[in-house]
Amino acid sequence: MGSVGNHRNTFVITTPLYYVNALPHIGSAYTTIAADAIARFHRLLGQPVLMITGTDEHGQKIQRTAEERGIAPQIHCDEIVDGFQSLWKSLNIAYDRFSRTTAPRHEAIVREFYDRVWASGDIYEGRQQGWYCVSCEEFKEERELLEGKRCPIHTNKTVEWRDEHNYFFKLSKYQEKLAALYAEHPDFIQPTTRRNEVLNFVEKGLQDFSISRLNLDWGFPVPNDPDQTLYVWFDALLGYMTALLDSDSKPTLENALEKWWPINVHLIGKDILRFHAVYWPAMLMSAGLPIPGRVFGHGFLTKDGQKMGKSLGNTLDPFALVDQYGADAVRYYFLKEIEFGRDGDFNKTRFINVLNADLANDLGNLLNRTLKMAGRYCGSRIPDVSLEAFADDHDLKLKGGRLLEQVQSAYEHLAFSEACEAIFGLIRASNKYLDETAPWTLFKQGKQTETEIALYAVLESVRLAGYLLSPIVPSLANSIYTQLGFEGDFNRADIGQLFPFEEHGVWGMLTPGQQLGEARPLFQRIELES
């Protein structure tokens, strides 16, 4: 069946290769922010990491969109790709590879993979009849259709009747092998709700699917029949492999799979689950290749409790949102406020309240006032306190000591909201501790040692919180570390060497006497528009 998951120390995560029929929407941004946070966490661990994103650029939908715009498909694709790359830049997405399915290198990989599947005897010619949704690039069963022959996903689009001779992939042959894969590797599809959807789909019986189209110019020709064009999904999934090639490598499967395969996590929206959790592993089995470690299908986003859509006039423009509030604000809200895997909602009032409460008040004010006290009472240096000064049951030391394990487990399970909750548990405890110990009173009483112990405990807790939050809010983490007197950048690929996890992830690593940076507001409070 082929091994599952990556047994090397490397870590590879992919976003979907986004379809370029239109500029990126908030859903694409959400998946990419999540993938970026996981990649950044694994870089903190010191692992060699590859984060892959990119675009799926073939198919009838693209051809028609370009025709409607009166431009060549490639020009349309290039324009939309610019939009994706510029949004990823403004969201501070540290991707390593951007895979485009129109790249010549990609065609070489697709041809070689097709030849392997052909050699396995898993491709045959047949007749395809049925209702086809161009927006999904997928045939639909009649029972799935809505009234008026409309697509259940693109509810404002009617399906088209197709009757043509195509090449098919023998998916039905892999029914039992897929069932065995899901049974032996229960974590392969996550979360559990998505796994159950796939199990139900597969149990009903798998049908072979067409991997070519007639009368379509925009795509790669079928290697053994140039009159036909390869189906967009057969080509697009292989874009993950093409992305593994080093820029100077010859585009062969051997070179693509040499260092980074198999991929650890495919992060996707739940609407493309079937392609990644059923078609893709079957194609890989046919080609005799190892299966990726996990396919995680996250939920959909709504706005003010309603489905988003142009027809409803309630879309959420990710470009405008980042422009107005900054990357860290957007990243934090979507990863903290939504349990990853479930559907989630954006509400502007809630968005602003969460950011003000957590980032401006609880975290920002805590760092600001403590730094100012350290400036006045400790000569702008880390208080001169040894760890022995803290009893084992000291509240912040105790909470800080447990934090690493909690947060590591949360990130590994893609439970971002849990990670944030644990980290802010320490922040809230630090605020309470600061109010109770009142270092300003201790200082006035001439209790210098007690003053320094209190300030060290809080500064160290903020540092640890900043470090563990860095995958989610890297710019904020940079600001915290700079104000604490560190030099370095959480955007660096070698961050795990610069600030090692086993050292910086532990409570009590601040160096006594270290010169502090200048105290600056960490996060500007957002005023609610009346």
Side-chain angles (χ1 to χ4, degrees):
M1 185 175 71
S3 60
V4 176
N6 193 327
H7 305 295
R8 305 171 181 146
N9 185 39
T10 54
F11 182 82
V12 187
I13 183 163
T14 72
T15 72
L17 301 186
Y18 298 108
Y19 211 40
V20 295
N21 59 305
L23 284 169
H25 52 74
I26 196 69
S28 329
Y30 177 52
T31 319
T32 311
I33 290 165
D36 185 59
I38 301 162
R40 285 175 179 274
F41 173 72
H42 283 271
R43 288 191 198 106
L44 280 187
L45 295 177
Q47 283 178 281
V49 170
L50 205 65
M51 179 190 160
I52 294 168
T53 186
T55 43
D56 171 7
E57 302 179 26
H58 286 141
Q60 190 148 34
K61 193 172 172 184
I62 304 298
Q63 189 171 307
R64 287 187 183 177
T65 304
E67 281 165 7
E68 283 162 18
R69 295 184 64 202
I71 59 173
Q74 189 66 60
I75 293 171
H76 164 82
C77 291
D78 292 346
E79 283 180 14
I80 302 294
V81 165
D82 284 347
F84 274 94
Q85 290 180 330
S86 105
L87 181 61
W88 295 171
K89 190 178 177 184
S90 66
L91 277 168
N92 201 2
I93 306 295
Y95 61 83
D96 299 288
R97 304 274 165 89
F98 193 98
S99 187
R100 297 186 60 177
T101 58
T102 48
R105 292 155 67 76
H106 180 56
E107 184 171 11
I109 294 293
V110 171
R111 291 180 77 89
E112 193 183 339
F113 188 90
Y114 179 93
D115 289 345
R116 276 200 183 205
V117 177
W118 178 269
S120 295
D122 288 340
I123 295 172
Y124 65 93
E125 240 183 310
R127 188 179 178 194
Q128 178 86 329
Q129 279 186 313
W131 296 104
Y132 191 75
C133 172
V134 173
S135 291
C136 289
E137 297 280 9
E138 189 183 12
F139 279 93
K140 299 288 175 186
E141 291 181 30
E142 187 127 15
R143 62 185 179 177
E144 292 180 86
L145 300 177
L146 305 177
E147 199 181 326
K149 296 280 187 284
R150 286 175 298 119
C151 170
I153 294 174
H154 302 91
T155 51
N156 57 342
K157 299 278 172 78
T158 50
V159 291
E160 301 174 7
W161 180 257
R162 293 281 171 91
D163 183 355
E164 58 187 51
H165 277 271
N166 298 135
Y167 288 89
F168 284 77
F169 172 70
K170 289 183 184 172
L171 184 64
S172 57
K173 174 179 162 182
Y174 291 93
Q175 170 104 23
E176 286 178 16
K177 287 183 180 177
L178 286 169
L181 167 70
Y182 308 145
E184 288 165 29
H185 300 277
D187 290 345
F188 174 64
I189 305 164
Q190 293 178 337
T192 310
T193 47
R194 303 284 103 79
R195 174 181 153 76
N196 291 341
E197 282 170 35
V198 171
L199 292 180
N200 289 339
F201 174 75
V202 173
E203 276 164 16
K204 284 176 188 163
L206 292 176
Q207 295 179 342
D208 299 347
F209 70 94
S210 154
I211 58 165
S212 72
R213 298 289 181 265
L214 272 172
N215 307 317
L216 171 64
D217 302 325
W218 190 239
F220 295 140
V222 171
N224 56 313
D225 187 348
D227 290 340
Q228 298 225 22
T229 301
L230 276 173
Y231 172 44
V232 60
W233 270 106
F234 191 88
D235 147 20
L237 290 162
L238 295 165
Y240 297 131
M241 284 184 173
T242 307
L244 302 175
L245 284 164
D246 288 334
S247 56
D248 56 353
S249 290
K250 193 179 170 202
T252 65
L253 273 179
E254 188 184 358
N255 288 341
L257 307 180
E258 182 183 31
K259 182 180 176 185
W260 297 100
W261 188 266
I263 284 161
N264 298 73
V265 183
H266 285 303
L267 209 55
I268 55 164
K270 61 183 179 181
D271 53 330
I272 52 174
L273 181 65
R274 196 178 297 177
F275 297 104
H276 286 79
V278 183
Y279 295 16
W280 183 222
M283 285 161 60
L284 291 167
M285 287 172 185
S286 173
L289 295 172
I291 311 297
R294 279 196 273 183
V295 173
F296 193 105
H298 66 71
F300 286 160
L301 297 178
T302 52
K303 187 180 176 198
D304 303 322
Q306 279 189 307
K307 189 179 173 183
M308 281 186 252
K310 285 176 189 166
S311 53
L312 296 168
N314 71 334
T315 54
L316 184 60
D317 179 356
F319 293 91
L321 199 64
V322 182
D323 214 35
Q324 187 169 2
Y325 300 106
D328 278 350
V330 177
R331 292 169 68 105
Y332 183 75
Y333 177 82
F334 282 106
L335 294 187
K336 192 259 178 182
E337 275 304 291
I338 297 167
E339 184 186 330
F340 200 63
R342 290 177 176 267
D343 291 348
D345 189 60
F346 177 88
N347 170 277
K348 195 172 179 184
T349 306
R350 176 94 189 123
F351 173 75
I352 290 171
N353 287 342
V354 164
L355 295 170
N356 283 342
D358 291 3
L359 303 185
N361 295 356
D362 286 355
L363 181 56
N365 285 350
L366 178 66
L367 175 62
N368 199 260
R369 62 185 183 141
T370 313
L371 270 180
K372 285 179 173 168
M373 282 189 272
R376 287 196 295 273
Y377 310 151
C378 311
S380 291
R381 292 186 178 275
I382 300 287
D384 192 7
V385 177
S386 74
L387 278 184
E388 287 71 52
F390 298 95
D392 288 343
D393 63 351
H394 185 282
D395 190 40
L396 299 190
K397 184 183 179 182
L398 207 57
K399 279 193 169 63
R402 293 194 196 116
L403 197 57
L404 177 73
E405 209 174 302
Q406 292 173 304
V407 172
Q408 180 165 1
S409 170
Y411 277 125
E412 283 170 355
H413 289 94
L414 279 54
F416 304 107
S417 50
E418 270 180 41
C420 291
E421 207 43 61
I423 294 164
F424 273 84
L426 178 63
I427 291 299
R428 285 189 283 273
S430 299
N431 273 302
K432 184 169 178 266
Y433 171 83
L434 197 65
D435 291 339
E436 285 172 356
T437 53
W440 51 93
T441 306
L442 293 171
F443 183 73
K444 278 180 190 163
Q445 293 169 347
K447 296 178 177 173
Q448 183 67 23
T449 304
E450 289 89 335
T451 304
E452 295 198 7
I453 286 171
L455 293 179
Y456 182 95
V458 174
L459 289 173
E460 171 57 5
S461 297
V462 174
R463 180 209 63 76
L464 179 59
Y467 183 79
L468 295 174
L469 279 172
S470 68
I472 295 170
V473 283
S475 300
L476 222 62
N478 276 341
S479 185
I480 290 170
Y481 259 52
T482 303
Q483 292 184 52
L484 291 173
F486 289 95
E487 282 181 22
D489 184 353
F490 281 99
N491 294 307
R492 283 172 52 158
D494 64 347
I495 190 66
Q497 279 75 51
L498 183 70
F499 299 145
F501 194 72
E502 55 281 2
E503 191 183 308
H504 284 251
V506 176
W507 195 92
M509 72 75 56
L510 266 180
T511 307
Q514 178 170 299
Q515 182 72 47
L516 290 165
E518 187 189 339
R520 292 189 309 276
L522 189 63
F523 186 89
Q524 214 62 51
R525 191 180 164 77
I526 306 164
E527 294 310 321
L528 258 174
E529 295 151 16
S530 51

